[in-house]
Amino acid sequence: MRLLGIVALSVMLGGCASVTRGTTENISISSTPSGVEAVVSGMEVPTTCTTPCSVVVKRNADISITFQKEGYEPQIVPLSRDIQTGGAAGFAGNLLLGGVVGMGVDAATGAATDHKPNPVIVTMQPSAPARSARPAGPRKPRPPAVTPEAGT
C-alpha cells in the first residue's frame, strides 16, 4: 500500500510544472559590442547588468530589456511568454490526473511558460553624428568692385 502511495504521488508531482520546472527562469543577455548596459524591467525590482550577463526572472513576469551605451542608439527588446513542451507536459499532466489545483497554480505562477527570445542578443547601431552648421572655410578674396569714372 505504501509503495502504491509513493508511485501515485510521484506521478502527480511529475505532472505539475511548478514542481518540475519551477517558477523562475534564467535569461541570458548579450550584445555586440559587449559592455552595453541592459536594464531589465518588469521585475519586482528593476535590474541593471552589463553585457554579457544573465538574470533570474519570474516566469509570469512581463519583461522588457532596454540596451544603452554611449555612441549607440538605445534598443528595447520586449520578451513574450510561450508555453513550451516541458511546460505543456506538466500542465497536461495536471489535466490528466485531475489536478485542478495544480493547473491553477501553474497558470498563476506561469510555470508552464518560457520567455522568448532567450538568449536575448542585440547588435547595437552607432548613433548618427550630430549635424552641425558647415564650418566657414577660408574665403577667396574678391576683386575690388569696378566703379564707373565720373564724366565718361
Side-chain angles (χ1 to χ4, degrees), residues 140-146:
K140 294 182 182 177
R142 291 188 177 188
V146 177

Side-chain angles (χ1 to χ4, degrees), residues 78-103:
L79 276 59
S80 62
R81 291 179 296 174
D82 293 332
I83 296 178
Q84 297 303 304
T85 54
F91 198 74
N94 285 326
L95 183 63
L96 293 174
L97 297 173
V100 176
V101 172
M103 287 176 57

